[in-house]
Amino acid sequence: MKFEIKRLIGFSIAAGILLAGYSFRSANAVNTKPVLEKAPNILIIMADDMGYSDIGCYGSEIATPNLDQLAASGIRFRQFYNGARCCPTRASLLTGLYPHQAGIGHMTNDPEDSTAYQYNLPGYQGSLNNKCVTIAEVLKTRGYQTMMSGKWHVGYHDRQKWPLQRGFDKYYGILAGAANYFNPTGLRGLTLMNEPVKPKGKDFYLTDALTDHAIDFLNENHQQTKAPFFMYLAYTSPHWPLNALQDDVKKYRGKYKNGWKALRKERYNRMIKMGILKPEAELSADDAADWDKLSPEKQDEMDFRMALYAAQIDRMDQNIGRVVKALTASGELDNTLILFLSDNGACAEGGDLGGGLTENLGTKKGYMLSYGQSWANVSNTPFKKYKHWVNEGGISTPLIAYWPKMIPKASQGKFSDQYGFLPDIMATVVAASGAKYPLAYKGQSIIPMEGKSILPILQGKELPVHHQPIFWEHEGNSAVRMGNLKLVCEYHEGRPKKWELYDLDKDRSELHDLSASMPEQVSKLSKAYNEWASRAGVVPFDEIKKIQASRHK
C-alpha cells in the first residue's frame, strides 16, 4: 500500500486557532498570511482484546503491513494505557473521563441479563450517564459528521444509550460485547442506525462488514456534505470467538508448532532490536503450560488456535488498508488524524489452553472459542498479567498516531516515551478540532475532562503529558502512576490491599518491587489513589461482589 503524503511546508497548527469547523495554518514565516484550512478529520480505530506485541510494528510475526505503514509515517507510543477491559475502556475513550465517572466502573449489562451490574450506584450503572459527553457530541458542535462502525458495549437495553442517541449521525455494528463473526444474530446481532438487521450474503464476515459500512459512511459524507468527519471504527477482532477466513488461516497454520515459550522469546528479541523495548528490559516469567508435555495432537490444536487468532488480526489489518485506500481516493487522507489502539491487554479467558470445543475450530460455529492464557502470555510480551488486571500486561496498548499535516518529517517513524492514557484522546480531539468541551449539555452539568492533549507530541515536541497522577481500578485491581513510579495492587477477595511499587523507567515488566525500600512513595501515591477513588465514585470491589451476589440469588 502506498500513501500519497503531501507535505505542506511551514505548516503548523495549535489548539485555539480553529474556527467553526475550519482551522488556520499559522503564519510562522515573515509576510506569510494565514490560510484557511478545513478542520482535520478524525479516525479512531480500536482493536479488541489484542496484546501489546501482536502487530508487526510492535514486534509481532503477524503480517500487518498497513498498520506498519501508518507507524512508519506516524508516531508510536511506547507507553500508552487503556482501561484493562472492553467497556470501561470504551467509556473512557468516548468521554475523556475515568470509566466510573461515565457510569461504567465495572461492566455494562449483558444482552441475556438486563439486571447485570445495575447496582444503583452512579459509577456502576452499566451505561453512559448524563454527566458525560461523547467525542461525537462534542464534535457535532463544530459541524462534524459523526459516524461509527463496530462494537458499542457502553449501554445495551435502553435505546437512549445507543450511538445515535449519544451524538453519532450514523451507526452500524453490534451493541453487545461479542458475536459470532460469521453469523451475528439474535441478542448479539447487528444494528443499522437504530434498527436490527441481518447479516447479508453467504460470505458474510463481521470484520469485512464493519469496514464496508465505514467506507460507505465516509464516501457518503465526502459526496454529500464534505464536512470534516469523526469516524469511530471499533473492530471486534481479535476478541473470541476464534472465527477466521480459511485463506487467512493458511498463512499461519503450522507456524506456531515451536510453542509459546520460543515465540515469546523471538518477539522479545525483535522488540529490543526494533527499539520498542530498552536493551536492559527484562522478560517477565513464563505464565504458560509446558509445551513439551503436550501430546502431538494437542500441540497441533494449539497451533491451530494461534493461527486463527493471527488470521483475525491479519484480516483486520487488511481492512484498515481498505479504509486508508478509500481516504486516499477521496483526497481526505492528508488531513486525517488516525489513532489506532487496543481496548485492553491480551485475554487469558478460557484457561491455559483456551476454551470452546476443539471440533468447532476452523468452522463457522462456536462462540466461546479462545486461544488461552499460554498464547496470551506471548501477546503481552514482555509484560505480566492480562485483560482484567492493571499490571502492564492488562493496560498497555500500542498507540499509533498518524497525521501527515501535523507530524513533522523528522518525527515520522519515531517512538514517543511520554506516557498517556485514554482520557487524553478526548483532550487531543478537542485541541485538534477547536471544539469546546462543555460545562453543561442538555441542561445537565458535565464532569470536566480528565485527560491532557498529546497534540504537542504530534507536533514533534517530546514533552511530558502528565504532571499529576493518573489512575486505574477494575474489579478491585488498582494502580496509580506518577512520573516513572507506578503503584499497583492485585485484588484478592477479603484481603486488604497489598501495594507494590515499580520504577517503570528501569523495570517496565514490574519484576522488582520497591515498596519496602520506598515507603514514603507508597504512602504518597496510595493517598493520592484513595482521594481519586473517592471523587471518581469507586466502590470497594468486595462491596460490589456482595451486591452482585444478592441480585443473582
Side-chain angles (χ1 to χ4, degrees):
M1 177 190 64
K2 296 181 179 178
F3 291 103
E4 299 172 4
I5 302 175
K6 301 175 182 177
R7 299 300 303 167
L8 298 180
I9 299 174
F11 179 86
S12 72
I13 188 171
I17 59 170
L18 299 125
L19 295 175
Y22 291 88
S23 62
F24 286 113
R25 192 189 326 165
S26 60
N28 291 331
V30 177
N31 298 325
T32 301
K33 295 181 179 180
V35 178
L36 195 65
E37 291 281 349
K38 180 182 175 183
N41 305 309
I42 296 163
L43 169 60
I44 297 175
I45 305 173
M46 178 169 279
D48 194 351
D49 279 15
M50 190 191 80
Y52 184 77
S53 71
D54 272 335
I55 56 177
C57 54
Y58 277 79
S60 180
E61 74 293 337
I62 300 171
T64 56
N66 297 294
L67 285 170
D68 297 350
Q69 183 60 54
L70 290 175
S73 301
I75 292 175
R76 280 168 286 177
F77 286 70
R78 291 189 179 98
Q79 302 183 84
F80 202 84
Y81 293 112
N82 52 43
R85 190 83 174 274
C86 303
C87 46
T89 280
R90 291 158 206 276
S92 191
L93 168 75
L94 283 167
T95 66
L97 303 177
Y98 287 101
H100 310 77
Q101 294 172 311
I104 305 184
H106 186 200
M107 285 285 284
T108 189
N109 46 321
D110 296 323
E112 295 84 0
D113 183 0
S114 62
T115 67
Y117 311 125
Q118 302 294 320
Y119 298 142
N120 296 318
L121 296 172
Y124 298 82
Q125 68 179 40
S127 59
L128 296 181
N129 60 32
N130 61 3
K131 295 181 180 180
C132 64
V133 285
T134 67
I135 292 175
E137 288 168 332
V138 172
L139 290 181
K140 280 183 70 67
T141 68
R142 296 295 285 170
Y144 275 72
Q145 284 289 299
T146 56
M147 302 165 283
M148 178 180 174
S149 184
K151 172 177 167 176
W152 180 238
H153 208 202
V154 285
Y156 182 84
H157 286 276
D158 184 353
R159 184 175 289 217
Q160 292 307 308
K161 309 296 185 182
W162 291 8
L164 266 59
Q165 285 69 39
R166 293 308 309 244
F168 287 93
D169 295 313
K170 296 179 180 180
Y171 173 71
Y172 174 83
I174 63 168
L175 297 168
N180 183 284
Y181 287 65
F182 296 107
N183 190 30
T185 56
L187 293 172
R188 295 181 179 275
L190 297 164
T191 297
L192 177 60
M193 302 301 278
N194 273 333
E195 301 301 325
V197 293
K198 294 181 179 181
K200 287 186 177 180
K202 62 181 179 63
D203 295 324
F204 179 92
Y205 187 69
L206 183 57
T207 306
D208 294 348
L210 296 178
T211 306
D212 291 342
H213 283 79
I215 291 173
D216 287 346
F217 292 163
L218 291 170
N219 288 341
E220 288 168 4
N221 179 65
H222 179 72
Q223 294 162 7
Q224 297 172 12
T225 74
K226 299 191 183 298
F229 68 77
F230 167 53
M231 166 63 73
Y232 176 34
L233 180 51
Y235 288 112
T236 60
S237 179
H239 192 292
W240 48 259
L242 296 173
N243 294 149
L245 297 169
Q246 291 185 9
D247 286 347
D248 297 325
V249 179
K250 288 177 183 177
K251 302 177 188 178
Y252 300 98
R253 193 71 165 99
K255 290 190 175 182
Y256 295 107
K257 290 198 171 182
N258 287 332
W260 30 72
K261 185 173 183 178
L263 181 63
R264 192 166 184 251
K265 187 67 174 179
E266 288 172 11
R267 287 196 184 184
Y268 169 73
N269 290 335
R270 193 180 301 121
M271 293 168 81
I272 290 177
K273 185 176 180 180
M274 293 172 66
I276 298 161
L277 302 176
K278 295 180 178 179
E280 61 271 23
E282 296 180 79
L283 186 63
S284 65
D286 288 324
D287 192 11
D290 188 335
W291 179 267
D292 293 332
K293 291 184 179 180
L294 301 180
S295 67
E297 293 78 15
K298 197 64 179 181
Q299 289 181 351
D300 185 66
E301 177 193 323
M302 298 312 297
D303 169 83
F304 198 3
R305 288 181 184 269
M306 186 61 189
L308 288 161
Y309 178 85
Q312 289 175 304
I313 295 174
D314 186 307
R315 193 70 178 190
M316 176 179 64
D317 182 80
Q318 293 176 47
N319 277 277
I320 291 170
R322 292 175 56 207
V323 175
V324 171
K325 183 177 180 180
L327 293 174
T328 303
S330 66
E332 297 284 3
L333 182 63
D334 279 1
N335 197 39
T336 301
L337 166 60
I338 301 176
L339 298 171
F340 172 85
L341 70 164
S342 180
D343 66 345
N344 44 248
C347 176
E349 295 163 0
D352 283 351
L353 304 180
L357 298 174
T358 301
E359 55 264 36
N360 285 337
L361 295 173
T363 73
K364 294 185 178 182
K365 298 179 181 180
Y367 176 60
M368 289 290 292
L369 290 169
S370 62
Y371 73 157
Q373 180 172 305
S374 297
W375 285 128
N377 193 217
V378 174
S379 292
N380 279 344
T381 304
F383 308 131
K384 66 182 182 184
K385 294 296 181 181
Y386 310 95
K387 170 185 176 181
H388 298 264
W389 287 271
V390 295
N391 293 92
E392 294 293 284
I395 59 176
S396 295
T397 176
L399 176 68
I400 300 171
Y402 171 87
W403 190 0
K405 281 190 175 181
M406 173 61 71
I407 300 173
K409 191 73 173 178
S411 298
Q412 292 178 16
K414 303 292 186 181
F415 291 97
S416 173
D417 273 320
Q418 303 307 318
Y419 67 89
F421 72 147
L422 291 165
D424 297 340
I425 291 176
M426 170 70 88
T428 303
V429 166
V430 167
S433 66
K436 291 185 177 180
Y437 186 90
L439 298 174
Y441 186 77
K442 293 184 177 180
Q444 175 69 48
S445 296
I446 299 301
I447 300 171
M449 61 182 172
E450 295 278 358
K452 303 295 181 183
S453 173
I454 62 171
L455 201 59
I457 295 176
L458 304 190
Q459 293 171 309
K461 304 169 185 175
E462 187 68 1
L463 301 171
V465 175
H466 292 281
H467 299 279
Q468 299 296 325
I470 60 175
F471 306 92
W472 294 264
E473 190 279 338
H474 182 64
E475 295 185 331
N477 299 308
S478 310
V480 51
R481 177 166 181 175
M482 180 62 210
N484 61 315
L485 292 179
K486 179 183 176 186
L487 193 67
V488 62
C489 173
E490 182 180 337
Y491 170 78
H492 295 282
E493 187 171 1
R495 299 185 198 173
K497 285 185 177 294
K498 183 181 183 301
W499 291 108
E500 297 174 355
L501 182 68
Y502 298 100
D503 182 343
L504 297 187
D505 185 54
K506 300 175 182 176
D507 181 24
R508 183 81 190 279
S509 297
E510 299 171 309
L511 300 180
H512 306 287
D513 180 12
L514 303 174
S515 60
S517 61
M518 301 177 69
E520 70 287 351
Q521 291 296 337
V522 174
S523 176
K524 177 181 177 181
L525 292 175
S526 61
K527 179 182 178 183
Y529 175 88
N530 291 333
E531 292 173 350
W532 165 79
S534 177
R535 77 171 177 85
V538 176
V539 175
F541 196 57
D542 280 339
E543 295 183 25
I544 295 296
K545 289 177 71 69
K546 289 178 183 177
I547 298 171
Q548 184 180 5
S550 69
R551 293 181 66 88
H552 289 82
K553 285 183 178 179

